[in-house]
Structures are given as C-alpha cells and as structure tokens.
Amino acid sequence: MGIALALFATQSGTGDLTGNWVSRTDRHDGTTRDVFFNLKQDNGKLTGSIRLTQFFYKISDSTITPDGFTIVGSMMDGKSERKVTYQGKLVGDELHLSTRNRPDAPLIELVAKRTTPEDGAMPERVPPPALHKVADNGLARTPPMGWNSWNKFAGRVTAEDVRGMADVIASNGMKEAGYVYVNIDDTWEGAKRDAQGNITTNTKFPDMKALADYVHSKGLKIGIYSSPGPNTCAGYEGSYGHEEQDAKTYAAWGIDYLKYDWCGARNLYTDEEMQAVYQKMGDALQKSGRPIVYSLCQYGRNDVWKWGPDVGGNLWRTTGDIRDAWESMTRIGFAQDVLAQYAKVGHWNDPDMLEIGNGGMSDDEYRTHMSLWSILAAPLLAGNDLRAMTPAIKDILLNKEVIAIDQDKDGKQGKRVAQAGDQEVWARPLAGGAQAVALFNRGAQAAKVTVKWADVGLTSPPKQARDLWAHKDVTLTGAEYTVDVPSHGVVLLRVGK
Ligand code: GLA
C-alpha cells in the first residue's frame, strides 16, 4: 500500500490528506517550533485547522488539484480577521508546504509528518471569572526602570546575556540612576511542563533560580514573561490553566516582575473578556506571597487604561510593538496625549520599551525618545545591548536630570500644549510646582521652536530654566522662549523649582 500510495501521491500531489500533521523546526534550545495541520478531506475540499505559535486558524477555503492543494486559514483577532494561506502537496508520506508572511515576503517552506490526533489540539476554553477589584500591590510608585531582552535579542536571549546585563547595570552607574529590573522577555520557556504541570525552562536558561539569585546578588531585581494563552507570542508555553501554579513558581524562583502578553489567549477569549483574564493572574500573583510588578501587554486593546489598575496592573501597554525607527517611535510616542489622565502613582501607561542604542535612529532621535518617554511618565526599560554602548548612548540613558522628570513622584503624565506643523511643545507638571517643558522638532530641517509660557500655564513668565540635555541654566526674558532645535531633536527644560 505504501508503494501504491506513494506512486499515486507523486503523480497527483494529493492522495488522502485526512489526518493530523506537524512540521517541527528545532529551535536549538530544547524546544521545537511546531505548525499543526489538522485536515479532513471530503468531496474534493479540505476542512480543519492550522495552528502555529500564538495562532489557531480554521480552514475557511481550499482547492485540491492534481498538482497539490491550497488551504486558507482564518481567525478572528479581536474585531479583525487574520488569514494565512498554505500551498502543499503530498510527497510520499510527507506534506511539503509553503507560505508567505506577506504577499511580497520570501517563501517559507516546511515539511509536515503525520502525528497523533491529539498532538497540538487546542485546550478547552475555561470560562473567565467574575470581575472584582484586585488590591493595589503597592509597587512601582514611579514608572519601572530597567532592561528587557526583547528589542535587541528577541528569541536569542540566554541566561549569560541576562547575567551580562546585570553586571553592566550594577557597574556603569545605571543602577544608581534607577535602572533596577533586569527582565527576560519571551523564549525562556521549556518545551513541556513537568509531570506535576510545573513550567520548565529551556536550555538557554538552565537554572532560573540561580539566575535570579545572581541578579539579586547585584542589588537588582529580575523580571520574567508569560501569556494568559496556551502559547506565548513566539509560540512557547503560556500560563493558560496554570496561572496560580506559575505565579508560585515565579515566587519560588525569586521573580520580581511579570510581563503578561495576550498572544495565544486571542484564540480563546474576546477582547471584552480581557479584564477577567488578566484579573486571574493579578489574583495569582497576590496569592503567591511575593511582591511582583504586574505588567499587562495586550497592545492597548479594549481601553486597558480604564481597567488596568482593577486587575492589579502596575503598567499596561498602550500600543502595538515599537520598532527601532523614527517613524515607529514617534507614531507611538506623540499619540499618547489622550491617555494622560490614566497615569497614576503605581499604574502607568506603557508606550513600549526603549529602542535607544539599537542603531536604527540618530542620537538626536534617541534624545527625543528619552525625553518624550520621560514627559509621558513611561517605564524606562532599556532594550539595547548594554555591554556595547557608545558614550553618546550611555549619556542618553544615564541622563539623571531627564530621569528625574520621568521618575517625578507626583506621577502626572505630560501633555501636548502647543503644535505648529512639525513643532510641538509638551509639558509635564512636577512635584513642588515645577514643570518639564519639551520643545520637539519633528521636521526634516533644523528649526526655531517657541514655547509661550502661557501655554504651559505659567501666568508670570519664569526667569530661569534648566536645559536638561545641555546641562546648563538658561536665562529667560519675556512671555516666550525660542530656541534652535535640530531636525528630529528636542530641547528639554525644567522650569520652576
Ligand atoms: C509581543 C510583545 C513584545 C514581545 C513579544 C515576544 O509582540 O508585544 O513586546 O514581548 O511579543 O514574543
């Protein structure tokens, strides 16, 4: 039968495709990246599902020809539909498939083999709990500061990198400047839970407790990452159905910070159910008995700023992922104005982590990034390789006068107070009646930018300001102040006490 089927298959490219198929790619960390094709062939059509990383698609369309087949998978992600298309053929007892992430992206080829029917099956949906208020954990009284692995290292981060970052933070002045959390993002998780259902680590992170002890020995704190879904965004094991167990594991390891990323939860819950789903981990963290900062990451969906504090959240992402590009950073940063009222001591808007030093922007652009995030009372999580910083980048991340704006104890987020074309003036009220005033030039040419003190709410014009990048006092006269600002640059002032 094998020979007959193989002959038929090579000739037709099809044969009977019914069954559960998996393509496994070795990630070289003791885990595999799996793509499941659960197919049912009937009357010249294919139905079933496609599952990969954080996505679970139902097959919504298919064609079968003598040369092979095409399947289209579709899923709802919040209010929008996601689609994926695979072309394939049966070759012997393998499925040879190809797809593209976008129509103009390179072809991705994969080979799938038959697997057991239950392999890769989606778990059953656990109904979300009834809503209640999770008590404030008393942490993050100022926006969290530290480092996170994702922007620079993505899936390549190792325990050695994390130790290396802790070493640098503890020795180059960053710790004294307030950078405390050393945060591991996605891709630390092991392939399978153990027999008791405990989360495990992969070979890049051989001993999480030892790593946490090491980071603590440097006087720093350590953060970790998970998802309320069965899978994280990179397709690793999530906390779904193990929330309390995982929170206990984190506490036992000595974890101080959790970033909890929606990812695979999108296949089981609607956006309207997010609050209940996040509340579950908020409760679990509090029950764990260890103070753990709770960072919500669901890309600013479902007005998270309105309920983030109620689930015990200390910060919540307000947007999709930042990229190391002027366009991405400014599109995110300059759109945060409308959320100012939601930032409070202990509960922060998070316009995503810093890209400073990753190489895709100029130093002026990175100064704009740092200034804007400080005006926004945003978390300052460096996202670069701290072991290899230019002096200019170090000066940007370590500018204590700018950090003092970000960390102002009143925790009021700044706002845009004036705009003229590419020029914007933002102001942030500070404790004791002072103000941070940022004069931004988003244009392609150097420009003079003016702040009118009345726009900042200062009825009697100030006589003096501190220029926080030049580290100089500036003498002021009159009702406004005009200054040269480089293209894509900023002048950041502290006015008043
Ligand atoms: C999402 C998050 C990112 C990062 C990745 C990890 O895209 O928004 O910040 O955590 O997942 O897979």
Side-chain angles (χ1 to χ4, degrees):
M1 170 209 156
I3 293 171
L5 181 62
L7 276 178
F8 175 69
T10 354
Q11 278 160 19
S12 73
T14 51
D16 188 6
L17 302 164
T18 299
N20 194 21
W21 304 81
V22 63
S23 153
R24 294 195 207 275
T25 312
D26 191 352
R27 290 189 182 117
H28 304 291
D29 60 5
T31 72
T32 53
R33 184 181 187 278
D34 300 343
V35 187
F36 294 95
F37 300 89
N38 199 313
L39 305 179
K40 183 151 188 275
Q41 186 171 349
D42 204 10
N43 282 330
K45 281 279 168 201
L46 287 166
T47 52
S49 63
I50 305 167
R51 181 172 180 196
L52 69 150
T53 60
Q54 53 178 321
F55 301 117
F56 183 73
Y57 301 91
K58 288 257 184 262
I59 295 175
S60 59
D61 200 6
S62 70
T63 50
I64 305 180
T65 69
D67 295 329
F69 63 91
T70 302
I71 44 177
V72 178
S74 159
M75 63 174 274
M76 287 314 287
D77 179 9
K79 308 262 173 304
S80 51
E81 187 188 17
R82 283 181 183 268
K83 279 189 163 186
V84 71
T85 302
Y86 284 86
Q87 245 120 37
K89 62 180 172 196
L90 188 63
V91 179
D93 54 2
E94 294 176 345
L95 284 189
H96 288 199
L97 298 127
S98 64
T99 187
R100 290 177 201 276
N101 285 339
R102 289 178 314 278
D104 57 340
L107 202 67
I108 300 169
E109 298 193 341
L110 37 145
V111 174
K113 296 188 162 72
R114 287 194 184 273
T115 183
T116 55
E118 61 280 357
D119 198 8
M122 272 301 271
E124 288 222 355
R125 181 184 134 101
V126 179
L131 291 178
H132 65 91
K133 270 197 189 183
V134 179
D136 186 345
N137 60 15
L139 303 171
R141 297 298 96 179
T142 59
M145 289 180 67
W147 177 86
N148 172 290
S149 59
W150 188 254
N151 284 354
K152 172 71 185 176
F153 294 89
R156 297 178 307 279
V157 65
T158 66
E160 274 319 294
D161 295 324
V162 175
R163 281 170 196 254
M165 297 310 149
D167 291 343
V168 174
I169 294 173
S171 60
N172 77 347
M174 286 182 80
K175 180 174 141 183
E176 292 71 24
Y179 293 90
V180 167
Y181 291 98
V182 184
N183 292 351
I184 306 162
D185 207 280
D186 202 354
T187 78
W188 61 266
E189 308 86 343
K192 279 208 178 78
R193 291 177 176 271
D194 71 11
Q196 287 73 46
N198 295 309
I199 187 85
T200 60
T201 57
N202 64 47
T203 58
K204 297 189 297 149
F205 291 88
D207 188 339
M208 201 57 96
K209 171 87 171 68
L211 182 58
D213 288 348
Y214 184 82
V215 172
H216 291 151
S217 77
K218 299 272 159 183
L220 300 169
K221 293 182 188 294
I222 186 165
I224 212 165
Y225 167 100
S226 190
S227 169
N231 293 99
T232 67
C233 288
Y236 286 74
E237 182 77 13
S239 290
Y240 183 71
H242 295 271
E243 293 81 2
E244 285 197 10
Q245 192 175 15
D246 284 0
K248 278 196 196 119
T249 302
Y250 305 150
W253 284 339
I255 298 296
D256 307 295
Y257 185 116
L258 173 69
K259 172 175 169 183
Y260 207 45
D261 194 348
W262 189 238
C263 303
R266 72 183 88 223
N267 301 302
L268 294 160
Y269 299 108
T270 63
D271 281 15
E272 289 67 31
E273 291 167 327
M274 278 177 171
Q275 178 173 352
V277 172
Y278 274 92
Q279 172 190 297
K280 206 167 189 180
M281 185 52 95
D283 282 336
L285 291 176
Q286 300 229 331
K287 260 181 98 172
S288 79
R290 187 174 172 89
I292 299 179
V293 170
Y294 189 25
S295 157
L296 318 188
C297 175
Q298 38 76 290
Y299 336 117
R301 277 154 55 164
N302 205 39
D303 291 348
V304 59
W305 36 86
K306 294 189 179 154
W307 51 262
D310 292 346
V311 301
N314 297 107
L315 59 156
W316 47 82
R317 279 271 296 278
T318 58
T319 73
D321 290 11
I322 195 169
R323 284 179 302 108
D324 182 21
W326 169 253
E327 186 276 325
S328 166
M329 183 276 286
T330 52
R331 183 168 34 83
I332 290 175
F334 286 108
Q336 300 299 308
D337 189 51
V338 289
L339 301 180
Q341 61 174 297
Y342 298 104
K344 302 249 157 53
V345 168
H347 310 284
W348 310 101
N349 288 313
D350 173 9
D352 208 355
M353 305 170 293
L354 300 175
E355 290 282 9
I356 295 167
N358 279 333
M361 290 183 250
S362 68
D363 291 344
D364 274 326
E365 292 172 339
Y366 286 138
R367 273 187 280 274
T368 294
H369 191 0
M370 184 80 181
S371 305
L372 186 50
W373 263 235
S374 296
I375 289 280
L376 295 173
L380 296 179
L381 294 170
N384 58 324
D385 188 344
L386 305 173
R387 299 167 299 195
M389 281 193 282
T390 64
I393 293 301
K394 198 175 155 198
D395 284 350
I396 295 171
L397 284 172
L398 276 159
N399 186 325
K400 290 194 184 161
E401 294 190 274
V402 177
I403 292 171
I405 304 299
D406 182 76
Q407 296 288 300
D408 184 77
K409 69 176 171 48
D410 277 7
K412 293 196 178 117
Q413 181 171 326
K415 286 187 187 170
R416 181 187 287 108
V417 295
Q419 182 170 18
D422 288 329
Q423 304 174 10
E424 300 198 14
V425 180
W426 287 60
R428 174 174 176 186
L430 303 172
Q435 295 254 2
V437 178
L439 297 89
F440 294 106
N441 173 14
R442 297 175 67 178
Q445 310 296 327
K448 289 192 183 304
V449 184
T450 297
V451 51
K452 296 191 175 104
W453 300 118
D455 287 345
V456 180
L458 296 174
T459 37
S460 55
K463 301 257 176 309
Q464 229 190 15
R466 177 81 177 160
D467 181 326
L468 306 185
W469 288 111
H471 300 293
K472 274 192 197 138
D473 292 333
V474 182
T475 304
L476 306 168
T477 49
E480 55 187 52
Y481 173 63
T482 299
V483 64
D484 290 314
V485 184
S487 163
H488 292 184
V490 61
V491 167
L492 183 60
L493 303 174
R494 184 186 184 105
V495 188
K497 280 147 261 177

